[in-house]
Amino acid sequence: MEPQRYWSHLNAFMATARHLSFSQAAHSLDISPQAVSVSIAKLEEHLGVRLFNRTTRSVLLTGEGAALFAAAQQSLGALGDAMEAIAQADRPRGVVRISVASGFARRYLLPLMPTVQMQLPEVQIDLTSDDRAIDPIRDGFDIVIRGGKLLDSSLVSRKICALHSVLVASPAYLRKHGVPQHARDLDQHQLIGLRFLSGERLEWQLREGRHITTLTPTQGLCVSDPEAVMEAAQLGCGIGAVAIHHAIEALRAQRLKVILPRAFQSTKREMAIQYPHRQWIAPRVKAVVSLLLDSFAANT
């Protein structure tokens, strides 16, 4: 099948994959549902695989369909970026969609928005702040800002800062329960655990002499938001591990105290800007990434 012959079929497939509905795909393309069905049938015949599982009530992508959709999304994105780079050779303009962890958005990203608006007046920022796991290509984000143990992937990752963490507790909690002097003393305390969206719990690494032990907090409270660990610690719920950038204000105000600074081993986590690995990066995205990196570097 020549490219010019299957382009309309691929277009129908992409619309159906986005809407998971033949009728909605047809409406978006201004063609009949029958035409959409015929195009997808011809594409499936050419590829020799089923792209959708159809029932009377639903249309779902098969594994092969999902793989084609992801690859096509990335290819179409690269094509769109290349065209945009030519069209915007003079200056960046357009919408940049950013997904960022909630706590980082409030404390660090939102304060930079006036600078972005001033330096990039023709760029509009569409900011989504939450802590859910996302797929930038599938979910349509240009930039993702997340923290953790960053793994190799199809995304470009640019480090913003290291996420150093400490054990903390409130002065009131320590007056009531005592200050632990050794890692083993934590067995007698209420601990505040952190559970990631994957279901995995944050492990603590603690040094006892020459040995390093791993502790997964299970006694006490467990939360899914890193900032909630800090808030719970301030309320006297127990001892928790928090990133310094979350707790710095509470530490300075002495609402929190650092516990076992020599024993606790900070996790090797980073905060990073990530964006899809493409040959052509849209000028609007490139400009925002560059501005944010420069601003973060000046303030860390």
Side-chain angles (χ1 to χ4, degrees):
M1 187 181 291
E2 296 298 324
Q4 60 270 27
R5 293 179 58 189
Y6 71 77
W7 180 256
S8 63
H9 303 327
L10 183 60
N11 202 27
F13 164 76
M14 294 297 289
T16 305
R18 289 191 190 98
H19 296 286
L20 292 179
S21 165
F22 284 93
S23 59
Q24 291 183 35
H27 180 74
S28 70
L29 297 173
D30 197 23
I31 59 178
S32 69
Q34 183 181 6
V36 171
S37 181
V38 169
S39 283
I40 291 175
K42 288 183 177 180
L43 189 59
E44 288 177 327
E45 181 182 1
H46 170 69
L47 296 174
V49 297
R50 182 179 291 276
L51 299 173
F52 294 97
N53 286 320
R54 309 159 176 85
T55 69
T56 55
R57 295 185 177 182
S58 65
V59 176
L60 299 174
L61 283 164
T62 63
E64 292 79 8
L68 176 61
F69 181 61
Q73 280 274 79
Q74 190 163 4
S75 297
L76 290 172
L79 176 61
D81 288 347
M83 295 174 67
E84 188 175 352
I86 295 172
Q88 298 184 12
D90 53 344
R91 57 194 177 197
R93 62 170 70 91
V95 177
V96 175
R97 297 193 65 216
I98 303 176
S99 171
V100 58
S102 301
F104 195 85
R106 290 191 295 271
R107 292 175 179 270
Y108 297 99
L109 188 60
L110 283 174
L112 295 180
M113 288 301 102
T115 301
V116 174
Q117 292 173 325
M118 180 179 64
Q119 297 192 22
L120 302 172
E122 295 188 58
V123 172
Q124 296 82 48
I125 302 296
D126 184 337
L127 183 64
T128 298
S129 57
D130 61 36
D131 297 302
R132 66 188 176 91
I134 63 105
D135 181 325
I137 296 173
R138 180 196 64 205
D139 297 331
F141 287 106
D142 299 298
I143 299 170
V144 175
I145 302 178
R146 285 291 189 276
K149 295 180 180 179
L150 303 178
L151 304 176
D152 292 338
S153 68
S154 60
L155 302 178
V156 177
S157 290
R158 302 288 300 276
K159 178 180 174 181
I160 297 173
C161 62
L163 294 178
H164 297 294
S165 53
V166 290
L167 286 184
V168 297
S170 70
Y173 174 87
L174 296 173
R175 284 194 298 270
K176 182 176 181 180
H177 299 278
V179 179
Q181 301 299 315
H182 305 280
R184 59 182 177 273
D185 295 341
L186 293 175
D187 293 339
Q188 309 304 316
H189 284 267
Q190 292 294 312
L191 306 182
I192 305 168
L194 175 63
R195 183 185 64 257
F196 300 109
L197 292 174
S198 63
E200 179 185 2
R201 290 186 179 230
L202 178 67
E203 295 180 338
W204 298 357
Q205 302 291 321
L206 298 148
R207 180 180 293 278
E208 281 273 20
R210 296 183 179 181
H211 303 287
I212 294 180
T213 59
T214 299
L215 171 64
T216 302
T218 55
Q219 66 268 36
L221 180 66
C222 183
V223 298
S224 62
D225 178 1
E227 278 203 283
V229 176
M230 178 192 67
E231 298 295 341
Q234 290 186 85
L235 292 170
C237 294
I239 298 171
V242 297
I244 291 178
H245 72 271
H246 283 319
I248 189 66
E249 293 179 8
L251 290 170
R252 287 172 176 166
Q254 297 188 350
R255 296 191 301 272
L256 289 174
K257 298 285 187 180
V258 175
I259 305 302
L260 298 173
R262 295 185 179 181
F264 183 71
Q265 307 294 295
S266 179
T267 55
K268 295 180 179 179
R269 293 158 55 87
E270 298 176 351
M271 183 65 71
I273 289 181
Q274 300 178 306
Y275 50 93
H277 200 314
R278 295 172 177 163
Q279 181 179 5
W280 297 96
I281 302 299
R284 57 187 167 80
V285 177
K286 186 175 182 180
V288 171
V289 168
S290 178
L291 178 56
L292 292 181
L293 287 172
D294 288 345
S295 298
F296 289 136
N299 289 283
T300 56

